[in-house]
Structure formats: structure tokens, C-alpha cells
Amino acid sequence: MKRFLELIQREFKLFFNNKVLLMLFLGAPVLYGVLVGHVYQQGKVTEMPVIVVDEDNSSLSSSFIDMLSDNESIQVAKVLPSLFDSKDVAIQYDATTIVHIPKGFASGVQQSRLPEVTVFVDGANTLTSNTALMAVNVCAMTLKAGIQIQSQMKRGVPAKVAAQQYEPFKTTIVKQNIRSGNYLYFMLPGVLITVLQQVLLLGLALSFSSEFEGNTFAELVKKVSNPIGLILVKILPYVLMSIGILLLYWAFGKYYRMPLQADFGRFVLCTFVFLLAVCFIGVLVSMVLPSQLKSTEVLMVVATPAFILSGFTWPSSLMPGWVQAIANVIPSTHYLRIFRLLFIQHAENYHTNKPLIALTIIMIISFVLAVAVLWWKIRKLKQADKQQQVKV
């Protein structure tokens, strides 16, 4: 036990002596947490600038512009008399939407000629353009309803009856899970979990490869020749430091007032399996590729697209089968599903069984392969020592 603790202490010294790894492992979670948190701190897309081209200058067009101004998602940045230079003005005001009210709009409505309001949408940013387009559409539909009800009332139809004729049934929309529509609650956890996986993989990429390159592996084996014990020595410091990073993430959640209610015991179990799965992959690659540079490069290739492949932002069912197969090998894919089920969808624990089993399979396979490769490395080293002793 004393030797085991000495080796753990040695691993911590190796970690803190590597300034680059220290900055990466401890600095990246803090940097990404602050950076992403403040980027999405507002949470909802509001007051998106839109440009209105009013060629009609009627009371009806003015009412439509007032309705656009009253919508919280958009704000009328500029009202222009014509479409001339409207695109340049939209770029100037960073507006994704131009609403064109044609000449003769009011008279056309009064005479039932169906005048056309054109909405030009810049699709360069899908999120902002869709938000602005939906807001303009809501205002247009509301104005249409008001015009139709007034038209019915002018024909002698009572207001209550006219409203019922326009709306034969009601639609109620109930927002579930992230009811506030706060984008921060959705984005921040996914990014931070991916960052945790990335710093773990990059840190453990150097675990055994640094020993091979520094010719200290033989010295390490003399102290602990059991492959399981050696793997535990390497991953335990990172597991302990990961707990600190997760506590930091919890503090970020409190600071940004995120709703983080879930079964704590289930979350701890899933997190523990996730950390072990990532650590075993890291040490496995570090042993298979004894070069620090090569092992780091390979694990960077695995870690970089993890968030995109996870299905957290884009449904994995819409991805090609071979892409899904790659995603299912990455631990964060299943852990992000567990996080979404527990914290966002507030699902029952049994709903997390499938991703937890997948994580467990990754953990076991990685562990068995890591033990087998390390056993072979130790055996090869001992055989080389025996041959050298015989020669002497």
C-alpha cells in the first residue's frame, strides 16, 4: 500500500511538472466554462434586428410595423421607403430579415385582392434567421386574423361569432423540459462534458508514452509489475482531478442558475463509468503508440468531433450508419445521452440503462485490451532483462 501511494505521488509530480498538460487539464475547463457561459448567458434570442420596407405608408402598414416592434424576439431597426439599398442596410444593422410591404397593401386588403407581403431571410445563421422569421410570421398571422374578424363584423356578424369562425379550434402549446427556451441550459453542459473527455484523453495520452520515451518504464515495472496495479496508478490521479472539474462544473451551473435536479446516485454511477471508460481508452492508446506525439494526435482525432457526433445537437438517427458506429465507440456520446435524460428530460432511471450498458461495454473492452497490451509489454521487458543477464 505504501509503494502504491508513493507511485500515485509520483504520477502527481509528473503531471504538475508538465506545464503544458497542467494548463490544458486545469485551464481548459475553466476557460470553456466562462467563455461558453458568457456567450450564451442571455439564453434566448431576443431583439433580433429586422428591416421593414414600407412602400404603402398606410395605417394598416403602420399597425403591422407596431406589431413587429412589440414582439420580444425582434426589433425594427430601420423602416425604408423602398427596396433600394435594403440589402446593404440589412448588413449594416446585422439584420437577418427584410419585410417588404408593397404599395397598395391597405387598398388591396380592403378590396380582397390578396396583396403579398414578402419576407427576405438571410439563412447564413440558421438559429437567428429562423427565430426572426417565426416572429414575423406570428405577427403576420395575427394581423390576418384581425383583418378577417373585422371584415366579418362589418358584414353584421357579432364579434364572438366572427372570432369563432376564424378559429374553429384552439391550439395549446406546452413547453416541457427547458421551458424557458434558454439556449445556455442546452449548450453549456454538452460543451463542458466534451471538454472533460478531451482533457482526460490528452492527459492520459502521455501516461505510458512518456515512460517509454523517457526510458523510465523499466524503473516503474520494478516497483509495480502487476498490469492492473500499473493502470490504476496511472488513471487514479486523473479520476481524482476529474472530480474537482465536475465540482467546478456544478459551480458554473449554480452561477448561471441552471436547473440541475436529478437522481444524484444514478448520476454518480454513470459519471464513474464514463470516467473509467475515457481513462482506459487513454492509457490503451498511450501503450499502443509509445510516442507522445502520435498518441496525442490520435486521441485528438477522437476527441475533436465528439460533440458533433454525439447526437446532442443533431439527431444521431439522421446520421449515416457508419457515422453512428463511430459515435457509439466514443464515451461522451452515451454520457451526453444520460445527462440529457437525467437533467433535461427528467426521465426515470431505467431510461438510462441502454447508454449506461454501452458505456460499461466500452469500459470493459478498453480495460481488458489495456491490461493485455501492458502485460505483453511487461513480459517483453522481463525477457529482455533475462537475455541481458545471460549475456553478462
Side-chain angles (χ1 to χ4, degrees), residues 34-83:
V34 173
L35 194 63
V36 176
H38 280 76
V39 167
Y40 298 105
Q41 190 169 18
Q42 186 174 340
K44 293 191 291 184
V45 179
T46 58
E47 299 184 352
M48 288 297 304
V50 298
I51 303 298
V52 178
V53 178
D54 185 6
E55 294 183 342
D56 194 47
N57 288 319
S58 62
S59 59
L60 187 59
S61 66
S62 296
S63 298
F64 187 30
I65 293 171
D66 289 340
M67 292 175 68
L68 293 172
S69 300
D70 291 338
N71 191 293
E72 69 166 355
S73 298
I74 56 177
Q75 63 172 349
V76 178
K78 190 79 173 177
V79 179
L80 302 176
S82 70
L83 279 170

Side-chain angles (χ1 to χ4, degrees), residues 1-223:
M1 186 64 184
K2 183 179 178 182
R3 178 170 291 181
F4 182 78
L5 292 175
E6 287 176 353
L7 289 171
I8 294 293
Q9 187 178 5
R10 175 180 178 272
E11 289 302 315
F12 274 113
K13 285 181 180 178
L14 290 173
F15 173 80
F16 285 104
N17 287 335
N18 190 326
K19 301 301 179 184
V20 176
L21 185 57
L22 181 64
M23 288 181 62
L24 175 70
F25 197 88
L26 300 181
V30 176
L31 176 63
Y32 278 95
V34 173
L35 194 63
V36 176
H38 280 76
V39 167
Y40 298 105
Q41 190 169 18
Q42 186 174 340
K44 293 191 291 184
V45 179
T46 58
E47 299 184 352
M48 288 297 304
V50 298
I51 303 298
V52 178
V53 178
D54 185 6
E55 294 183 342
D56 194 47
N57 288 319
S58 62
S59 59
L60 187 59
S61 66
S62 296
S63 298
F64 187 30
I65 293 171
D66 289 340
M67 292 175 68
L68 293 172
S69 300
D70 291 338
N71 191 293
E72 69 166 355
S73 298
I74 56 177
Q75 63 172 349
V76 178
K78 190 79 173 177
V79 179
L80 302 176
S82 70
L83 279 170
F84 181 73
D85 282 342
S86 60
K87 184 177 179 181
D88 292 335
V89 174
I91 294 173
Q92 179 185 345
Y93 284 91
D94 200 20
T96 60
T97 306
I98 300 172
V99 181
H100 176 221
I101 304 173
K103 191 174 182 179
F105 173 66
S107 60
V109 169
Q110 292 169 359
Q111 297 171 24
S112 301
R113 292 202 305 261
L114 295 178
E116 183 178 6
V117 173
T118 307
V119 182
F120 300 93
V121 181
D122 180 6
N125 188 315
T126 306
L127 175 65
T128 54
S129 60
N130 283 351
T131 300
L133 178 61
M134 288 174 64
V136 171
N137 191 46
V138 166
C139 294
M141 293 298 292
T142 305
L143 183 63
K144 289 178 186 178
I147 292 170
Q148 188 166 342
I149 291 170
Q150 284 184 355
S151 176
Q152 293 283 341
M153 289 171 62
K154 287 179 181 179
R155 296 174 186 171
V157 179
K160 186 176 181 180
V161 176
Q164 288 175 345
Q165 287 180 349
Y166 171 75
E167 188 179 45
F169 66 90
K170 291 184 177 181
T171 303
T172 302
I173 299 174
V174 180
K175 284 188 175 182
Q176 295 180 317
N177 304 323
I178 305 178
R179 287 175 289 181
S180 64
N182 196 315
Y183 200 64
L184 173 69
Y185 300 164
F186 164 75
M187 196 69 181
L188 185 62
V191 171
L192 293 186
I193 288 169
T194 307
V195 168
L196 174 59
Q197 175 181 262
Q198 189 161 358
V199 296
L200 274 173
L201 288 175
L202 293 179
L204 287 161
L206 310 177
S207 57
F208 282 100
S209 57
S210 61
E211 303 282 0
F212 296 138
E213 285 192 349
N215 296 321
T216 56
F217 182 64
E219 176 190 337
L220 186 62
V221 170
K222 288 178 182 177
K223 296 177 180 179

